[in-house]
Amino acid sequence: STSRVIWPVPGYSHISSYYGPRVHPITKKNSFHDGIDIPAPQDTKVLSPASGKVIKTYESDTLGKTVEIECDEYKFVFNHLNFISLEQESLINKGALVGGVGTTGTLSTGNHLHVTVYKNNKKI
């Protein structure tokens, strides 16, 4: 139910790239975009959409600073963060600060939050 979650970037509702097939803006190749992109200024607050557990925090060469949060049957993955304010394995409440919007990783074209959502371990 969407009433159980909040939007992760308050005040920024524009989606610049949707889930699904697209031409990648950097590689210029047809690819599948496995999430949505929400553009916002650097360090804009990223909030946890629901209460849960931080299962991973890491930095990827391509996707930058990343946080994975499990919330019941959902998992939220946030990429390209400028900073991460949570520790791995910590429990968090809905609305807790996850980090700040950024443009980290080689596959970022500017400040935005890339969000991938899983339901029962399937990307949706």
Side-chain angles (χ1 to χ4, degrees), residues 68-83:
E68 297 184 14
I69 300 171
E70 280 187 348
C71 307
D72 296 324
E73 73 268 27
Y74 291 95
K75 179 169 83 170
F76 301 93
V77 180
F78 301 115
N79 302 116
H80 305 302
L81 295 165
N82 192 48
F83 69 90

Side-chain angles (χ1 to χ4, degrees), residues 55-95:
I55 55 171
K56 281 186 181 180
T57 62
Y58 57 94
E59 188 159 359
S60 157
D61 288 341
T62 56
L63 298 174
K65 293 179 182 166
T66 298
V67 173
E68 297 184 14
I69 300 171
E70 280 187 348
C71 307
D72 296 324
E73 73 268 27
Y74 291 95
K75 179 169 83 170
F76 301 93
V77 180
F78 301 115
N79 302 116
H80 305 302
L81 295 165
N82 192 48
F83 69 90
I84 296 171
S85 63
L86 300 169
E87 292 189 28
Q88 195 162 297
E89 302 295 318
S90 60
L91 298 177
I92 58 166
N93 292 318
K94 177 168 57 174

Side-chain angles (χ1 to χ4, degrees), residues 40-57:
Q42 181 176 320
D43 293 332
T44 298
K45 290 180 182 181
V46 175
L47 307 180
S48 181
S51 295
K53 183 176 184 179
V54 179
I55 55 171
K56 281 186 181 180
T57 62

Side-chain angles (χ1 to χ4, degrees), residues 9-29:
V9 190
Y12 295 89
S13 58
H14 175 71
I15 297 173
S16 60
S17 188
Y18 287 86
Y19 180 86
R22 70 172 184 175
V23 175
H24 194 280
I26 294 176
T27 67
K28 306 298 184 205
K29 295 180 180 178

Side-chain angles (χ1 to χ4, degrees), residues 105-120:
T106 58
L107 291 182
S108 178
T109 58
N111 288 308
H112 73 287
L113 177 66
H114 174 93
V115 182
T116 302
V117 180
Y118 294 77
K119 183 175 182 181
N120 297 319

